[in-house]
């Protein structure tokens, strides 16, 4: 049995993906700068989301060279904040910008349905319904 089912839902959260970064002359300073940016962002995240709605990605490092001479080290980390009160997005955007300044920024927004199980079940039932 084959078929097609469609279910339409309303987004009830926005996933805000943020990159924190720090470019400093030494590895230690880059790590310290990244930690400061992460702490500032964590403080903002706690105001807008629960701990379960904040996801911290891996930390990456790169070494910057100019004319074969080391000039700096860059540390990066991606963080996702699931904002369940979509109407607070403008305030969250401003708070993120103020908290991390030049040490990162918002890279992506995704509007999502947090619990898709009912929509998937509806689509599956529609797909299997006999004509």
């Amino acid at each position: 049995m084959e078929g097609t089912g469609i279910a339409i839902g309303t987004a009830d959260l926005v996933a805000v993906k943020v990159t924190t970064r720090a470019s400093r002359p030494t590895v230690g300073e880059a790590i310290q700068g990244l930690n400061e940016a992460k702490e500032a962002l964590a403080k903002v995240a706690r105001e807008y989301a629960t701990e379960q709605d904040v996801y911290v990605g891996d930390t990456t490092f790169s070494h910057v060279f100019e004319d074969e001479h080391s000039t700096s080290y860059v540390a990066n980390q991606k963080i996702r904040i699931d904002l369940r009160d979509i109407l607070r997005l403008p305030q969250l955007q401003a708070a993120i910008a103020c908290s991390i300044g030049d040490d990162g920024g918002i890279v992506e927004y995704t509007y999502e349905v947090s619990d898709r199980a009912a929509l998937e079940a509806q689509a599956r039932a529609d797909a299997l319904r006999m004509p």
Side-chain angles (χ1 to χ4, degrees):
M1 192 182 302
E2 290 185 25
T4 301
I6 297 173
I8 299 172
T10 301
D12 60 352
L13 74 83
V14 60
V16 180
K17 296 177 184 171
V18 181
T19 296
T20 55
R21 67 179 162 270
S23 178
R24 306 289 192 273
T26 68
V27 171
E29 291 171 319
I31 292 170
Q32 181 180 351
L34 182 65
N35 287 337
E36 290 168 1
K38 284 181 357 185
E39 183 53 40
L41 184 58
K43 184 177 178 182
V44 168
R46 286 190 293 270
E47 294 177 29
Y48 290 87
T50 66
E51 188 175 323
Q52 294 86 352
D53 288 334
V54 178
Y55 308 90
V56 179
D58 293 333
T59 301
T60 60
F61 294 94
S62 57
H63 197 172
V64 180
F65 289 90
E66 286 183 27
D67 299 324
E68 299 182 14
H69 293 70
S70 173
T71 59
S72 63
Y73 294 85
V74 179
N76 294 287
Q77 188 157 46
K78 292 185 178 162
I79 297 171
R80 173 183 160 141
I81 302 168
D82 285 350
L83 179 64
R84 295 186 182 277
D85 184 353
I86 294 174
L87 297 177
R88 294 185 71 197
L89 181 58
Q91 293 91 345
L92 177 59
Q93 291 170 308
I96 289 170
C98 288
S99 71
I100 59 177
D102 293 335
D103 284 333
I106 298 170
V107 294
E108 181 180 333
Y109 303 101
T110 308
Y111 289 87
E112 300 178 4
V113 175
S114 60
D115 184 7
R116 297 188 310 251
L119 293 172
E120 291 169 352
Q122 178 186 343
R124 193 172 298 109
D126 288 349
L128 297 175
R129 191 171 292 136
M130 298 291 280

